[in-house]
Amino acid sequence: MAVEAHVTERSAESAARIQRHAGIDRLFHWVTAVAVLALLATGLLPVVGVEFSWVTIHWMTGLVLTLLVLFHLVRSLFWQRPKCMLIRPRDVSEALQAARAKPGEPVRLPGKYTLAQKLMHLALGLAVVVAVVTGVIMLAKIDTPFWKRDPYLLAAGTWGVVYLLHGLAALATLTLVMIHIYFGLLPEKRVYLRAMTRGWVTREELGAYHDLERWPGRRAGRS
Ligand code: HEM
Ligand code: HEM
């Protein structure tokens, strides 16, 4: 009897589970996170006086990040749902309404992502894409086993702009990543952290902050 009850309880619990991030997307997030943190460390530590031979690790990790971003671009546009990350005017008006609402007043909840999550994705995504594009151009300035340096590829002034954009993108990424990690680790945001580590949330957890009709999720398989 006890075993039966336990089994029913477990299957009821797993039936209520929704898969928020597929395994491949979670792998993408964590590999990207390691790559971005390694790029920030190798790019910025020498600037503050920590000397080591950083260039090789930096450009190789940069190439890995480029491939990761390309993979994510294709997967998100063709295999995921681009609409759920899109920022529409009504996301802003609904978030403002919810912030102003009195206790008990009905509000429209967001679908898969909150406005804050969409804005973080847009800002981090832009900063990382600018860093990646300028970084790929900057590969022309170094000798690697695959090609010889060609500093005359661009005019001196154009190189200046490329370096400036790369530096600004790095600083923006650093600031955004610090904010992102802070919120990612807050105890009240643990549900999202579990969604990014184990993949699932329960319908109840999701329903507290998201509209289950707008994004019903997928039934989670074994996590
Ligand atoms: C290049 C332009 C980009 C586009 C068009 C794009 C598009 C998207 C879309 C549509 C989603 C929602 C997928 C879903 O939940 O169904 C998403 C999620 C996500 N994106 Fe991007 N993204 C871009 C750049 C980036 C960059 C540069 C990063 C990393 C710094 C990034 C990291 C993530 C992460 C971690 C998620 C959540 C995991 C998931 O896919 O479920 N994205 N992206
Ligand atoms: C190392 C500590 C990190 C933690 C604890 C963390 C945590 C998380 C969590 C919990 C989510 C899921 C939110 C959801 O389910 O919607 C997420 C999403 C995302 N992460 Fe991270 N992350 C980390 C590092 C990074 C780094 C270094 C980047 C790359 C630049 C990054 C880029 C993103 C993006 C673009 C999203 C989608 C937007 C969002 O949902 O906020 N993460 N992260």
Side-chain angles (χ1 to χ4, degrees):
M1 269 300 269
V3 174
E4 235 170 65
H6 181 65
V7 169
T8 325
E9 208 175 281
R10 280 197 55 154
S11 48
E13 186 190 303
S14 64
R17 282 183 188 182
I18 291 173
Q19 189 183 57
R20 185 163 168 84
H21 303 291
I24 185 81
D25 302 316
R26 284 177 274 150
L27 188 67
F28 160 76
H29 173 267
W30 294 114
V31 179
T32 307
V34 171
V36 169
L37 293 175
L39 284 160
L40 287 172
T42 50
L44 298 176
L45 284 177
V47 179
V48 294
V50 185
E51 302 289 341
F52 59 101
S53 54
W54 59 275
V55 180
T56 312
I57 313 174
H58 191 79
W59 76 257
M60 286 188 172
T61 315
L63 275 191
V64 171
L65 182 64
T66 309
L67 295 178
L68 286 165
V69 171
L70 287 175
F71 160 80
H72 173 65
L73 186 67
V74 174
R75 177 164 160 79
S76 68
L77 294 180
F78 299 105
W79 277 272
Q80 291 182 286
R81 296 204 315 172
K83 270 205 223 148
C84 65
M85 209 38 124
L86 207 67
I87 302 175
R88 299 187 186 86
R90 70 160 190 245
D91 293 326
V92 180
S93 56
E94 286 172 7
L96 285 175
Q97 246 167 7
R100 288 195 202 115
K102 296 190 185 76
E105 203 177 305
V107 290
R108 203 78 167 93
L109 293 173
K112 183 171 182 182
Y113 295 102
T114 62
L115 179 63
Q117 289 170 327
K118 290 182 184 185
L119 288 173
M120 179 52 82
H121 178 263
L122 178 69
L124 253 181
L126 266 179
V128 170
V129 166
V130 171
V132 160
V133 171
T134 49
V136 168
I137 301 171
M138 285 155 77
L139 286 174
K141 283 266 192 158
I142 53 164
D143 276 329
T144 73
F146 312 109
W147 61 85
K148 288 261 154 269
R149 68 194 295 261
D150 176 14
Y152 304 108
L153 181 74
L154 301 175
T158 319
W159 273 124
V161 175
V162 171
Y163 275 78
L164 178 70
L165 287 177
H166 195 72
L168 287 177
L171 292 182
T173 306
L174 176 68
T175 313
L176 292 163
V177 160
M178 283 164 66
I179 299 170
H180 177 67
I181 294 178
Y182 172 78
F183 282 102
L185 296 178
L186 278 183
E188 60 266 37
K189 305 268 191 242
R190 283 292 143 82
V191 169
Y192 295 117
L193 189 58
R194 193 189 58 220
M196 201 41 105
T197 48
R198 302 184 60 196
W200 57 270
V201 289
T202 65
R203 283 183 68 79
E204 206 181 2
E205 287 165 343
L206 196 70
Y209 300 102
H210 298 261
D211 186 334
L212 290 164
E213 275 175 21
R214 284 182 161 180
W215 188 73
R218 288 201 216 124
R219 279 279 289 280
R222 251 170 275 160
S223 56

XYZ file of all heavy atoms in Angstrom, residues 3 29 34 38 55 66 86 103 117 138 163 166 169 173 207-208 214:
129
model
N 3.938 1.529 -0.780
C 4.725 1.636 -2.008
C 3.855 2.202 -3.121
O 4.244 3.111 -3.845
C 5.296 0.255 -2.414
C 5.991 0.333 -3.768
C 6.235 -0.271 -1.350
N 23.678 26.853 -22.562
C 23.801 27.937 -21.578
C 25.081 27.810 -20.767
O 25.830 28.759 -20.607
C 22.580 27.963 -20.647
C 22.737 28.950 -19.519
N 23.242 28.592 -18.302
C 22.489 30.288 -19.446
C 23.291 29.673 -17.514
N 22.830 30.709 -18.189
N 30.684 29.387 -19.362
C 32.109 29.144 -19.097
C 32.959 29.918 -20.113
O 33.940 30.582 -19.757
C 32.428 27.625 -19.149
C 33.933 27.369 -19.108
C 31.732 26.913 -18.002
N 35.510 32.886 -19.212
C 36.934 32.719 -19.552
C 37.407 33.893 -20.410
O 38.516 34.401 -20.222
C 37.137 31.397 -20.288
N 46.697 35.601 -24.804
C 46.147 35.779 -26.156
C 45.622 34.473 -26.760
O 44.501 34.435 -27.285
C 47.179 36.433 -27.100
C 46.594 36.612 -28.496
C 47.624 37.773 -26.550
N 31.955 31.861 -30.850
C 31.356 32.185 -32.155
C 30.512 31.007 -32.650
O 29.367 31.181 -33.083
C 32.464 32.494 -33.189
O 33.338 33.464 -32.618
C 31.896 33.020 -34.491
N 10.575 37.463 -28.058
C 10.342 38.750 -28.721
C 9.767 39.772 -27.738
O 8.877 39.425 -26.962
C 9.323 38.511 -29.845
C 9.363 39.450 -31.027
C 10.659 39.234 -31.801
C 8.158 39.172 -31.936
N -2.977 45.173 -4.373
C -3.090 43.757 -4.022
C -4.478 43.214 -4.359
O -5.483 43.863 -4.073
C -2.839 43.732 -2.503
C -2.134 45.014 -2.202
C -2.532 46.012 -3.236
N 13.542 39.123 -18.087
C 14.345 38.067 -18.724
C 14.571 38.380 -20.205
O 15.665 38.189 -20.729
C 13.647 36.708 -18.574
C 13.685 36.184 -17.145
C 12.799 34.971 -16.941
O 11.746 34.830 -17.573
N 13.198 34.085 -16.047
N 39.242 41.027 -35.437
C 40.543 41.240 -34.787
C 41.491 40.045 -34.925
O 42.692 40.168 -34.686
C 40.333 41.591 -33.306
C 39.843 43.020 -33.129
S 38.920 43.261 -31.611
C 40.208 43.339 -30.399
N 38.332 48.143 -32.195
C 38.856 47.920 -30.837
C 37.958 48.565 -29.782
O 37.715 47.993 -28.721
C 40.297 48.455 -30.716
C 41.307 47.437 -31.188
C 41.538 47.221 -32.548
C 42.016 46.664 -30.264
C 42.443 46.264 -32.976
C 42.927 45.705 -30.692
C 43.131 45.517 -32.045
O 44.023 44.559 -32.467
N 34.851 46.485 -29.357
C 35.160 45.223 -28.659
C 35.282 45.496 -27.146
O 34.726 44.760 -26.331
C 36.457 44.628 -29.223
C 36.669 43.188 -28.848
N 35.925 42.158 -29.388
C 37.551 42.593 -27.985
C 36.330 41.001 -28.881
N 37.317 41.238 -28.024
N 31.848 46.360 -25.646
C 31.018 45.146 -25.552
C 31.484 44.288 -24.367
O 30.661 43.720 -23.640
C 31.091 44.350 -26.856
N 29.207 43.381 -21.232
C 28.988 41.966 -20.887
C 29.322 41.730 -19.412
O 28.562 41.082 -18.691
C 29.842 41.040 -21.783
O 29.563 41.353 -23.146
C 29.545 39.581 -21.537
N 2.971 28.791 -12.640
C 1.724 29.559 -12.603
C 1.777 30.753 -11.655
O 0.979 31.687 -11.780
N 2.736 30.746 -10.698
C 2.816 31.867 -9.754
C 3.243 33.157 -10.456
O 2.836 34.241 -10.057
C 3.794 31.519 -8.626
N -0.630 31.176 -21.944
C 0.255 31.778 -22.952
C 1.433 30.849 -23.269
O 1.901 30.803 -24.388
C 0.809 33.105 -22.425
C -0.203 34.206 -22.485
C 0.412 35.478 -22.014
N -0.361 36.614 -22.478
C -0.051 37.873 -22.213
N 1.005 38.152 -21.482
N -0.787 38.846 -22.677
